[in-house]
Amino acid sequence: MASHRRPKQPSRARVTVLTTAAAAAVAISSQAAQAAPSEKPTKDEVKAKVDKLYEEAEAATEKYNGAKEKQEKLQKEISTIQDNVARGQEEVNELREGLGSMASAQYRSGGIDPSVQLFLSADPDDYLDKASTLDQLSSQQVDALEKIQDKQRVLAQDRAEASEKLGDLSATRDELGKKKDEVKSKLAEAQKLLNSLTAAEKAALQQEEQRASRDSADRVQLGDAPAGSGRTMSAYAAAQSVIGSPYVYGASGPSSFDCSGLTSWAYAQAGMQIPRTSQAQASFGTRIYSQSDLKVGDLVIFYGDLHHVGFYAGNGQVLHSPRTGAVVRYESINNMPFQFGVRI
């Protein structure tokens, strides 16, 4: 006879173990899904990230340029002060020798004047106050002592100024190194992103860049925009002469440029020195806030921190050195956040 016994039910402990195992399996599966690598970014997404890094690199480049310009200025000032100190010390030495000659003559004639002896044996800073009670001083000696005192005061001031500027120079060199490292870091990060693209995607981006440069030269028409002054147009013509030159951070010509390197180089060709950085150039002339009031050759400043500059080319176009990977070219003024123009 067949057995009619009811199948044995799993114990409560066994159910608990099975439930726990199932939950663990679900959790592991969920974690594995979360840990799965995200989809590879598209060419356009990579380009957007790279463009952002290039913009950040350019902002750092302008700060680098400012630190470099300050360093060069300080070095010139320190060199001038040190030359002045050297010449001043020579003059003091000559005056001391002259005073020593007086003392020698006095010694040969019967003894050294107490006032001269005092000067030769001690710091003369407070000498004249003490010497005012000494009748032995000749007018020639008084003149010599006053000249020495004046020279020593000037030398002390020059040395203090040189010391202060040397401190500024050291700090500026530190800042320069940090900004250079920041630029290199941004560019390296951008290059890493570009290296993640396939050969076909890289070729497509390169073709887009070349087409942008080629088309910009073909389509630019000055339209009805009035021309700037003679010197301004000479600078603008100089910038036009280097269309196609590559952007290189920190470069100011004649074969490669960053944005402010192009504008400062162009004005130098026109016989005028303007500041090196875009921020300094933004404050150099008269600001023009309406695009409709711009003249051909006016400088145009972009971004809130004023880290980009170019020339207004008319018809809503700018002539500039855009960024790493690009060349000096025309571009729409609306491709970047316009702040104002500067008329020099």
Side-chain angles (χ1 to χ4, degrees):
M1 175 183 281
S3 173
H4 295 286
R5 286 183 300 177
R6 183 177 300 174
K8 185 178 181 181
Q9 296 296 319
S11 68
R12 179 172 298 179
R14 179 174 173 78
V15 170
T16 301
V17 170
L18 291 173
T19 303
T20 303
V26 170
I28 292 172
S29 175
S30 174
Q31 290 173 358
Q34 291 176 359
S38 58
E39 293 184 6
K40 179 184 176 182
T42 66
K43 173 175 70 68
D44 290 341
E45 288 173 339
V46 168
K47 184 179 185 305
K49 290 179 181 178
V50 168
D51 287 346
K52 180 63 176 174
L53 286 167
Y54 282 159
E55 179 192 328
E56 292 171 355
E58 189 186 29
T61 293
E62 287 306 290
K63 292 179 181 178
Y64 164 84
N65 290 335
K68 187 176 181 181
E69 185 179 40
K70 183 179 179 181
Q71 174 185 257
E72 292 170 352
K73 181 181 178 183
L74 283 170
Q75 286 174 329
K76 290 179 181 177
E77 291 175 350
I78 290 170
S79 179
T80 298
I81 293 172
Q82 289 175 335
D83 288 345
N84 290 341
V85 168
R87 284 194 298 270
Q89 189 61 56
E90 287 178 2
E91 292 174 5
V92 168
N93 292 341
E94 289 175 1
L95 289 169
R96 281 181 176 274
E97 289 174 4
L99 199 58
S101 298
M102 292 183 207
S104 297
Q106 290 176 349
Y107 178 78
R108 288 192 299 270
S109 63
I112 299 178
D113 188 317
S115 60
V116 177
Q117 189 173 27
L118 172 64
F119 172 77
L120 292 175
S121 62
D123 185 350
D125 286 346
D126 63 344
Y127 177 73
L128 288 181
D129 291 337
K130 296 177 181 178
S132 61
T133 60
L134 299 176
D135 297 332
Q136 296 94 334
L137 280 173
S138 69
S139 61
Q140 187 179 9
Q141 289 169 341
V142 170
D143 289 343
L145 289 169
E146 287 179 341
K147 286 180 181 179
I148 291 174
Q149 274 200 316
D150 289 342
K151 286 292 180 184
Q152 286 181 321
R153 290 192 188 100
V154 172
L155 284 176
Q157 292 171 356
D158 285 347
R159 289 190 176 106
E161 184 179 1
S163 178
E164 182 179 352
K165 288 186 181 296
L166 283 168
D168 288 344
L169 180 59
S170 178
T172 300
R173 282 174 173 160
D174 288 343
E175 181 185 0
L176 185 63
K178 290 177 183 177
K179 292 305 173 186
K180 188 174 183 178
D181 290 343
E182 184 179 350
V183 173
K184 286 184 174 181
S185 175
K186 298 291 184 184
L187 296 181
E189 190 176 350
Q191 189 60 54
K192 185 177 179 180
L193 282 169
L194 291 173
N195 290 341
S196 70
L197 297 175
T198 65
E201 289 172 331
K202 290 178 185 177
L205 280 181
Q206 188 173 10
Q207 288 175 359
E208 289 176 14
E209 191 65 42
Q210 291 173 344
R211 184 164 54 250
S213 299
R214 182 174 60 250
D215 292 349
S216 73
D218 293 339
R219 69 169 181 264
V220 169
Q221 300 293 329
L222 295 184
D224 299 329
S229 67
R231 178 166 285 175
T232 294
M233 293 307 292
S234 293
Y236 177 68
Q240 287 179 305
S241 73
V242 293
I243 288 175
S245 299
Y247 177 102
V248 174
Y249 85 90
S252 55
S255 57
S256 59
F257 306 86
D258 59 26
C259 70
S260 59
L262 173 66
T263 49
S264 59
W265 174 86
Y267 263 97
Q269 307 317 297
M272 183 177 183
Q273 297 296 321
I274 67 172
R276 173 61 174 87
T277 67
S278 58
Q279 291 90 346
Q281 291 176 15
S283 301
F284 191 68
T286 302
R287 293 189 177 185
I288 311 296
Y289 288 96
S290 173
Q291 290 187 23
S292 61
D293 293 333
L294 291 172
K295 293 182 179 181
V296 176
D298 283 343
L299 298 181
V300 277
I301 309 296
F302 298 93
Y303 298 99
D305 61 356
L306 315 181
H307 75 252
H308 191 75
V309 62
F311 286 100
Y312 185 61
N315 198 28
Q317 301 287 309
V318 294
L319 175 60
H320 67 150
S321 185
R323 53 172 173 74
T324 299
V327 298
V328 175
R329 69 189 185 197
Y330 296 101
E331 202 166 329
S332 171
I333 198 171
N334 297 317
N335 286 357
M336 298 164 287
F338 170 82
Q339 301 301 305
F340 50 82
V342 175
R343 186 162 298 153
I344 296 177

